[in-house]
Amino acid sequence: MSESTDIGLLHRTWEAMSGGDLSVLEGALDPDAQWLGVEDGQIFENRKMILAIMKRNLKTGFAGRIEETIEVGGRIVVAFCPDHPRDDGRPLDQGIAYVVVTIRDERVIELKGCADRAAAMTYAQTGVSGTG
């Protein structure tokens, strides 16, 4: 899958989720995909767990728009702006939340929440989280 196709997959998935449709995400997630939280040790270990969290997020009105995608090697840094502030402690960097997405063979294999742009870029480059 080309890098531009990977970004297209991210945008199609985000758009469907914003409309309340998780089927595109379900199809894009590898069965063994992991979602690593901002803090080390926060792990959702498979597609079923990730979908459950996303479903809960949709019910609580979590939505927003992708502001920027940055390809870094085999990972994509996604900067998104939530529509409404949340009270779950999710850090924002000047109103933007960051997640690093790894896609292989047309499947999302990993999502990694990051506290800010610098942490996202470091994780995208190294696969190792620094401070968040």
Side-chain angles (χ1 to χ4, degrees), residues 101-123:
V101 180
T102 307
I103 299 174
R104 290 213 181 91
D105 299 325
E106 302 182 27
R107 297 281 191 193
V108 174
I109 62 168
E110 183 183 82
L111 302 137
K112 170 64 175 119
C114 295
D116 55 35
R117 184 183 187 90
M121 294 302 290
T122 296
Y123 190 83

Side-chain angles (χ1 to χ4, degrees), residues 5-85:
T5 305
D6 289 346
I7 287 178
L9 174 65
L10 288 173
H11 282 277
R12 284 189 309 278
T13 302
W14 191 272
E15 198 171 296
M17 286 185 344
S18 294
D21 179 5
L22 290 176
S23 67
V24 178
L25 177 62
E26 184 173 11
L29 284 172
D30 186 84
D32 296 321
Q34 290 189 337
W35 184 0
L36 309 172
V38 174
E39 300 295 327
D40 288 338
Q42 296 175 317
I43 301 174
F44 302 103
E45 298 178 345
N46 57 49
R47 176 173 47 202
K48 184 177 178 181
M49 290 177 76
I50 293 169
L51 288 168
I53 294 300
M54 290 295 192
K55 185 176 184 178
R56 185 192 75 204
N57 286 349
L58 287 176
K59 285 182 180 178
T60 61
F62 182 66
R65 67 187 178 285
I66 293 176
E67 293 290 324
E68 182 180 24
T69 52
I70 307 161
E71 296 172 313
V72 181
R75 295 183 176 94
I76 301 168
V77 175
V78 179
F80 68 96
C81 181
D83 286 344
H84 306 288

